[in-house]
Amino acid sequence: MKLGWFPTSGAGEGLGDMLWHLSLPAIALALYLIGMLARVTRSAMLEALEGEHVTVARSRGVPEREVISRHVFRNALGTVLTTGGLIVSTLLVCTILVESAFGIGGLGQLLELSSTTKDFPTVQAISLIIVALFMTVNLIVDLLHPLVDPRVTLGSRRSGA
C-alpha cells in the first residue's frame, strides 16, 4: 500500500483501469490455489512414474518426452482434473471473501450487506447460486473424467441379479 504500485480497493473506470484494479485480487485468489494444484500434479505425476507401463515404455526405447506426455501425464490427469474441479468450486467461495477485502462490488459485497442487514432471502439466494455452481462444476468434472481416464467408466447396467 505504501509503494502505491497497485490500487487496493475499488473496481476502476474503463477496461484498462478495471483490469489494473483486479490485478491484486486475482493474485490473492491465484497464489494459494496454483500452489495446491501444483502439489497435486507433482504427486500424481510421481505416482504415475512408478507404474510398470512406464518401465516397459522406457525399456522399449520410447523417448522420455513421449513417456512423460503419453503415459505419465495421461494417467495423472484424472487426479489433476478432480482437484481442478474442487479448486474452481473453492474459487467461487474465496471470491466472495476477496471481493469484500478489496472493496469490489459483486456477490461478496451483496452477501456481506445482506447478512449484516439480516436480509435472509438474499443470503439464501446467494447460497443457492453458490451451491448450484458447485454442483455444476462437479457434474462437469464427473462427466469429463471418463473421457480423460479410460479406466473409469460412466457406469453400466447389469442384467440378472
Side-chain angles (χ1 to χ4, degrees):
M1 285 180 59
K2 290 182 181 180
L3 294 175
W5 290 351
F6 293 101
T8 56
S9 65
E13 302 277 329
L15 180 64
D17 196 35
M18 286 175 68
L19 291 175
W20 185 248
H21 276 77
L22 289 177
S23 57
L24 276 183
I27 291 169
L29 284 171
L31 279 180
Y32 167 72
L33 299 175
I34 285 175
M36 186 168 61
L37 187 62
R39 289 185 67 192
V40 168
T41 303
R42 180 182 182 276
S43 66
M45 292 284 283
L46 289 175
E47 183 180 328
L49 270 170
E50 296 174 1
E52 290 180 17
H53 63 287
V54 174
T55 307
V56 170
R58 284 180 175 155
S59 68
R60 295 183 71 197
V62 177
E64 189 67 19
R65 183 179 210 143
E66 191 173 331
V67 169
I68 298 296
S69 65
R70 289 188 68 190
H71 299 287
V72 176
F73 185 68
R74 191 170 181 190
N75 286 334
L77 196 57
T79 305
V80 175
L81 179 68
T82 303
T83 305
L86 291 173
I87 285 175
V88 169
S89 301
T90 303
L91 192 63
L92 296 171
V93 176
C94 289
T95 301
I96 293 173
L97 300 173
V98 169
E99 282 179 6
S100 297
F102 285 98
I104 300 171
L107 281 179
Q109 189 177 29
L110 180 61
L111 181 63
E112 183 181 8
L113 179 66
S114 299
S115 61
T116 55
T117 59
K118 297 183 181 178
D119 184 9
F120 294 120
T122 305
V123 172
Q124 288 176 334
I126 293 172
S127 300
L128 183 65
I129 289 170
I130 291 170
V131 169
L133 289 172
F134 184 83
M135 289 174 52
T136 303
V137 167
N138 282 326
L139 176 67
I140 291 169
V141 167
D142 285 344
L143 292 175
L144 287 177
H145 201 78
L147 298 174
V148 171
D149 192 354
R151 298 173 295 178
V152 178
T153 58
L154 280 174
S156 59
R157 293 180 179 243
R158 299 172 90 187
S159 59

